[in-house]
Amino acid sequence: MLVNYYIIYRTNPIFITYVYVEAEVFNHPTIRGKEGLNMSNHNNQTEIILIGAGIMSATLGAIIKELAPHWKITVFEKLKRAGEESSNEWNNAGTGHSSLCELNYTPERADGSIDISKAIKVNEDFQVSRQFWSYLVKNNLISNPENFIMPLPHLSLVHGEDNVNFLYKRFKALSNNPLFKGMEFSGDPKRLKDWMPLVMEDREINEPMAATKIDSGTDVNFGALTRILFEHLKDQGVEIHYEHEVKNLEQDSTGNWNLTVRNLQEGTTDQHSARFVFIGAGGGSLHLLQKSGIKESVAVGGFPVSGLFLVCKNPEVVSKHHAKVYGKAAIGAPPMSVPHLDTRYINNEQSLFFGPFAGFSPKFLKTGSNLDLIKSVKLDNVFTMLAAGGKNVALTRYLIGQLLLSKEQRMEALREFVPSANSDDWELVVAGQRVQVIKDDEKGKGTLKFGTEVIHSPDGSIAALLGASPGASTAVSIMLEILEKCFPEHMNEWEPKIREMIPSYGMSLSDKPDFVEKIQTETAEVLGL
């Protein structure tokens, strides 16, 4: 799909130039607002503006309210309520990403050893999230944690002798670390049937297979958590404006950011200003970052990937599976393609998700525009994106192959996990849009990033979050990183409160088994795990 950039650029360079110039014209102070918008003269001043009512803005707002309760915070969300895009429970798999089962977080080195550094980092970050959620519950700032987090075993499942050897080496490397205490390994079919009866039902075993299991995993309803956090913020006096879309933002000579915000209900447009802006608008963050004009936004692009899940709500089938079971991606497939069969808790009902199957849409948000991809191409990033297209031909082929799959072909992929799966029990659900970041880095021009990227201005007055998994699970660590980069002058003052909320703040946990056990036990008790 990225090759399309090359075709458009070569056959119609005027179009790309036009998009770029149009954006610059709209930013011009003497022209902005003349496209039929009803401009008011309001200039609403606030300390903090959060763009987007997803899990990231919710988390940052909740942290800031604990650290600086008197700061005024304003939130703008273009949809009708919080948590409707990437954070929504139907738009992600709800895995509390802690590297307990995700095989792509533990790559095999050339010498055959297992690199567990990323697994440790992701797990530590999830422990930070658990501690912050526990703090909120313990202090009666939020309640009923069972509405957003449930205990659920995490398993990794592999087939074939080479993969079994890999999984065993991974198990040995992780099980010695206190963060992964309690992990079990087995290649015994009888034991595997106890662990995952639905997966083993009607299975013909004609090659070695094995799994690891750890009971400290979770299922997280990030949509419910997002809405709970925004109710908390509302109670704390945060102004939350739904159906309000940020159309433009620019920094003035005083360092403040001036935002043009469209009220989608009334058709009016107001001016708002803040000394700090966080762009947490999911796939919509890239366009707003580009409009900011900060140098860090130069040569940054995005590649949208949509996802689909097969979902089963048949109680008879659902009752046979109680776990998240992750497999291993096919050779050459991107990390986003790791297949997994998940128990989910949504609206107090259990269901099963299987996927993800990748798709393609030019939209950057599920509720976005088909022009999102084209509008993101600028003169400063076109060659970066062309370079990424040349490097990711295999990804393009993979996406095309995924798009061409019929439901029955997707069912065949499911039957590798659930041999007895009946098509009538499963329906296809379109999940959220993810925009993978493309940027130039030390690895070369046009590098496609699979993960979460934080971009901020040198003066710390604006920050944006781009990318995808494991973002939501590690939201608290990401927001603390933003505070460290954007509010360094306050960190000494805030550190005692941060340590009250998150006792492991700033620590490496791998060499502290007693401390790990303490925080896991305490958070499990508070969160009902």
PDB file of all heavy atoms in Angstrom, residues 464-485:
ATOM      1  N   ALA A 464       2.985  14.667  21.812  1.00  0.00           N
ATOM      2  CA  ALA A 464       2.030  13.854  21.069  1.00  0.00           C
ATOM      3  C   ALA A 464       2.405  12.399  21.214  1.00  0.00           C
ATOM      4  O   ALA A 464       3.583  12.044  21.309  1.00  0.00           O
ATOM      5  CB  ALA A 464       2.016  14.248  19.590  1.00  0.00           C
ATOM      6  N   LEU A 465       1.387  11.548  21.214  1.00  0.00           N
ATOM      7  CA  LEU A 465       1.597  10.109  21.286  1.00  0.00           C
ATOM      8  C   LEU A 465       1.157   9.492  19.969  1.00  0.00           C
ATOM      9  O   LEU A 465       0.023   9.687  19.534  1.00  0.00           O
ATOM     10  CB  LEU A 465       0.803   9.499  22.435  1.00  0.00           C
ATOM     11  CG  LEU A 465       1.149   8.044  22.734  1.00  0.00           C
ATOM     12  CD1 LEU A 465       2.498   7.959  23.423  1.00  0.00           C
ATOM     13  CD2 LEU A 465       0.089   7.397  23.607  1.00  0.00           C
ATOM     14  N   LEU A 466       2.063   8.743  19.353  1.00  0.00           N
ATOM     15  CA  LEU A 466       1.781   8.074  18.090  1.00  0.00           C
ATOM     16  C   LEU A 466       2.044   6.587  18.254  1.00  0.00           C
ATOM     17  O   LEU A 466       2.775   6.159  19.142  1.00  0.00           O
ATOM     18  CB  LEU A 466       2.674   8.631  16.974  1.00  0.00           C
ATOM     19  CG  LEU A 466       2.664  10.142  16.747  1.00  0.00           C
ATOM     20  CD1 LEU A 466       3.720  10.518  15.713  1.00  0.00           C
ATOM     21  CD2 LEU A 466       1.300  10.630  16.317  1.00  0.00           C
ATOM     22  N   GLY A 467       1.468   5.777  17.355  1.00  0.00           N
ATOM     23  CA  GLY A 467       1.787   4.359  17.341  1.00  0.00           C
ATOM     24  C   GLY A 467       0.709   3.497  17.961  1.00  0.00           C
ATOM     25  O   GLY A 467      -0.443   3.909  18.098  1.00  0.00           O
ATOM     26  N   ALA A 468       1.108   2.274  18.341  1.00  0.00           N
ATOM     27  CA  ALA A 468       0.127   1.282  18.781  1.00  0.00           C
ATOM     28  C   ALA A 468       0.665   0.484  19.961  1.00  0.00           C
ATOM     29  O   ALA A 468       1.393   0.998  20.795  1.00  0.00           O
ATOM     30  CB  ALA A 468      -0.226   0.371  17.603  1.00  0.00           C
ATOM     31  N   SER A 469       0.342  -0.812  19.989  1.00  0.00           N
ATOM     32  CA  SER A 469       0.647  -1.716  21.102  1.00  0.00           C
ATOM     33  C   SER A 469       2.127  -1.648  21.500  1.00  0.00           C
ATOM     34  O   SER A 469       2.987  -1.498  20.628  1.00  0.00           O
ATOM     35  CB  SER A 469       0.304  -3.139  20.673  1.00  0.00           C
ATOM     36  OG  SER A 469       0.546  -4.056  21.681  1.00  0.00           O
ATOM     37  N   PRO A 470       2.421  -1.744  22.813  1.00  0.00           N
ATOM     38  CA  PRO A 470       1.534  -2.047  23.943  1.00  0.00           C
ATOM     39  C   PRO A 470       0.987  -0.820  24.645  1.00  0.00           C
ATOM     40  O   PRO A 470       0.756  -0.852  25.861  1.00  0.00           O
ATOM     41  CB  PRO A 470       2.458  -2.818  24.872  1.00  0.00           C
ATOM     42  CG  PRO A 470       3.786  -2.148  24.689  1.00  0.00           C
ATOM     43  CD  PRO A 470       3.837  -1.754  23.228  1.00  0.00           C
ATOM     44  N   GLY A 471       0.768   0.260  23.917  1.00  0.00           N
ATOM     45  CA  GLY A 471       0.432   1.560  24.477  1.00  0.00           C
ATOM     46  C   GLY A 471      -0.478   1.593  25.681  1.00  0.00           C
ATOM     47  O   GLY A 471      -0.099   2.051  26.749  1.00  0.00           O
ATOM     48  N   ALA A 472      -1.739   1.115  25.542  1.00  0.00           N
ATOM     49  CA  ALA A 472      -2.711   1.264  26.626  1.00  0.00           C
ATOM     50  C   ALA A 472      -2.240   0.607  27.913  1.00  0.00           C
ATOM     51  O   ALA A 472      -2.418   1.159  29.009  1.00  0.00           O
ATOM     52  CB  ALA A 472      -4.058   0.686  26.190  1.00  0.00           C
ATOM     53  N   SER A 473      -1.645  -0.568  27.814  1.00  0.00           N
ATOM     54  CA  SER A 473      -1.207  -1.294  29.012  1.00  0.00           C
ATOM     55  C   SER A 473      -0.108  -0.555  29.758  1.00  0.00           C
ATOM     56  O   SER A 473       0.029  -0.697  30.972  1.00  0.00           O
ATOM     57  CB  SER A 473      -0.713  -2.692  28.629  1.00  0.00           C
ATOM     58  OG  SER A 473      -1.728  -3.438  28.024  1.00  0.00           O
ATOM     59  N   THR A 474       0.666   0.220  29.030  1.00  0.00           N
ATOM     60  CA  THR A 474       1.812   0.916  29.626  1.00  0.00           C
ATOM     61  C   THR A 474       1.563   2.420  29.695  1.00  0.00           C
ATOM     62  O   THR A 474       2.500   3.206  29.775  1.00  0.00           O
ATOM     63  CB  THR A 474       3.089   0.619  28.818  1.00  0.00           C
ATOM     64  OG1 THR A 474       2.918   1.056  27.460  1.00  0.00           O
ATOM     65  CG2 THR A 474       3.382  -0.872  28.798  1.00  0.00           C
ATOM     66  N   ALA A 475       0.278   2.824  29.687  1.00  0.00           N
ATOM     67  CA  ALA A 475      -0.076   4.243  29.603  1.00  0.00           C
ATOM     68  C   ALA A 475       0.517   5.060  30.748  1.00  0.00           C
ATOM     69  O   ALA A 475       0.962   6.190  30.541  1.00  0.00           O
ATOM     70  CB  ALA A 475      -1.599   4.397  29.596  1.00  0.00           C
ATOM     71  N   VAL A 476       0.533   4.510  31.959  1.00  0.00           N
ATOM     72  CA  VAL A 476       1.011   5.290  33.108  1.00  0.00           C
ATOM     73  C   VAL A 476       2.497   5.603  32.955  1.00  0.00           C
ATOM     74  O   VAL A 476       2.932   6.745  33.168  1.00  0.00           O
ATOM     75  CB  VAL A 476       0.724   4.552  34.424  1.00  0.00           C
ATOM     76  CG1 VAL A 476       1.254   5.369  35.612  1.00  0.00           C
ATOM     77  CG2 VAL A 476      -0.772   4.302  34.583  1.00  0.00           C
ATOM     78  N   SER A 477       3.296   4.614  32.556  1.00  0.00           N
ATOM     79  CA  SER A 477       4.728   4.861  32.343  1.00  0.00           C
ATOM     80  C   SER A 477       4.957   5.882  31.237  1.00  0.00           C
ATOM     81  O   SER A 477       5.839   6.748  31.340  1.00  0.00           O
ATOM     82  CB  SER A 477       5.440   3.548  31.984  1.00  0.00           C
ATOM     83  OG  SER A 477       5.563   2.729  33.115  1.00  0.00           O
ATOM     84  N   ILE A 478       4.172   5.779  30.174  1.00  0.00           N
ATOM     85  CA  ILE A 478       4.317   6.722  29.058  1.00  0.00           C
ATOM     86  C   ILE A 478       3.998   8.136  29.517  1.00  0.00           C
ATOM     87  O   ILE A 478       4.698   9.092  29.178  1.00  0.00           O
ATOM     88  CB  ILE A 478       3.412   6.306  27.888  1.00  0.00           C
ATOM     89  CG1 ILE A 478       3.882   4.968  27.298  1.00  0.00           C
ATOM     90  CG2 ILE A 478       3.417   7.373  26.795  1.00  0.00           C
ATOM     91  CD1 ILE A 478       2.911   4.380  26.301  1.00  0.00           C
ATOM     92  N   MET A 479       2.941   8.293  30.307  1.00  0.00           N
ATOM     93  CA  MET A 479       2.572   9.630  30.772  1.00  0.00           C
ATOM     94  C   MET A 479       3.603  10.186  31.759  1.00  0.00           C
ATOM     95  O   MET A 479       3.881  11.385  31.768  1.00  0.00           O
ATOM     96  CB  MET A 479       1.191   9.596  31.415  1.00  0.00           C
ATOM     97  CG  MET A 479       0.068   9.260  30.441  1.00  0.00           C
ATOM     98  SD  MET A 479      -0.004  10.350  28.976  1.00  0.00           S
ATOM     99  CE  MET A 479       0.607   9.245  27.708  1.00  0.00           C
ATOM    100  N   LEU A 480       4.181   9.328  32.577  1.00  0.00           N
ATOM    101  CA  LEU A 480       5.251   9.791  33.467  1.00  0.00           C
ATOM    102  C   LEU A 480       6.466  10.247  32.659  1.00  0.00           C
ATOM    103  O   LEU A 480       7.130  11.232  33.010  1.00  0.00           O
ATOM    104  CB  LEU A 480       5.641   8.680  34.435  1.00  0.00           C
ATOM    105  CG  LEU A 480       4.619   8.343  35.521  1.00  0.00           C
ATOM    106  CD1 LEU A 480       5.057   7.123  36.308  1.00  0.00           C
ATOM    107  CD2 LEU A 480       4.397   9.537  36.462  1.00  0.00           C
ATOM    108  N   GLU A 481       6.739   9.538  31.567  1.00  0.00           N
ATOM    109  CA  GLU A 481       7.831   9.953  30.682  1.00  0.00           C
ATOM    110  C   GLU A 481       7.551  11.333  30.097  1.00  0.00           C
ATOM    111  O   GLU A 481       8.455  12.180  30.005  1.00  0.00           O
ATOM    112  CB  GLU A 481       7.983   8.928  29.555  1.00  0.00           C
ATOM    113  CG  GLU A 481       9.038   9.290  28.515  1.00  0.00           C
ATOM    114  CD  GLU A 481       9.023   8.360  27.313  1.00  0.00           C
ATOM    115  OE1 GLU A 481       8.399   7.278  27.394  1.00  0.00           O
ATOM    116  OE2 GLU A 481       9.623   8.727  26.278  1.00  0.00           O
ATOM    117  N   ILE A 482       6.309  11.589  29.719  1.00  0.00           N
ATOM    118  CA  ILE A 482       5.947  12.905  29.183  1.00  0.00           C
ATOM    119  C   ILE A 482       6.123  13.981  30.244  1.00  0.00           C
ATOM    120  O   ILE A 482       6.657  15.071  29.971  1.00  0.00           O
ATOM    121  CB  ILE A 482       4.501  12.877  28.640  1.00  0.00           C
ATOM    122  CG1 ILE A 482       4.458  12.097  27.321  1.00  0.00           C
ATOM    123  CG2 ILE A 482       3.951  14.293  28.453  1.00  0.00           C
ATOM    124  CD1 ILE A 482       3.089  11.902  26.742  1.00  0.00           C
ATOM    125  N   LEU A 483       5.725  13.704  31.466  1.00  0.00           N
ATOM    126  CA  LEU A 483       5.900  14.683  32.542  1.00  0.00           C
ATOM    127  C   LEU A 483       7.378  14.972  32.777  1.00  0.00           C
ATOM    128  O   LEU A 483       7.773  16.129  32.991  1.00  0.00           O
ATOM    129  CB  LEU A 483       5.254  14.179  33.832  1.00  0.00           C
ATOM    130  CG  LEU A 483       3.721  14.081  33.830  1.00  0.00           C
ATOM    131  CD1 LEU A 483       3.235  13.544  35.165  1.00  0.00           C
ATOM    132  CD2 LEU A 483       3.081  15.429  33.539  1.00  0.00           C
ATOM    133  N   GLU A 484       8.211  13.942  32.741  1.00  0.00           N
ATOM    134  CA  GLU A 484       9.650  14.132  32.944  1.00  0.00           C
ATOM    135  C   GLU A 484      10.253  15.007  31.847  1.00  0.00           C
ATOM    136  O   GLU A 484      11.138  15.830  32.106  1.00  0.00           O
ATOM    137  CB  GLU A 484      10.351  12.778  32.981  1.00  0.00           C
ATOM    138  CG  GLU A 484      10.033  11.963  34.228  1.00  0.00           C
ATOM    139  CD  GLU A 484      10.445  10.511  34.087  1.00  0.00           C
ATOM    140  OE1 GLU A 484      10.931  10.131  33.000  1.00  0.00           O
ATOM    141  OE2 GLU A 484      10.255   9.735  35.050  1.00  0.00           O
ATOM    142  N   LYS A 485       9.778  14.830  30.621  1.00  0.00           N
ATOM    143  CA  LYS A 485      10.331  15.583  29.492  1.00  0.00           C
ATOM    144  C   LYS A 485       9.759  16.989  29.393  1.00  0.00           C
ATOM    145  O   LYS A 485      10.456  17.911  28.955  1.00  0.00           O
ATOM    146  CB  LYS A 485      10.074  14.825  28.194  1.00  0.00           C
ATOM    147  CG  LYS A 485      10.874  13.541  28.063  1.00  0.00           C
ATOM    148  CD  LYS A 485      10.547  12.802  26.770  1.00  0.00           C
ATOM    149  CE  LYS A 485      11.423  11.565  26.602  1.00  0.00           C
ATOM    150  NZ  LYS A 485      11.091  10.807  25.370  1.00  0.00           N
TER     151      LYS A 485
END
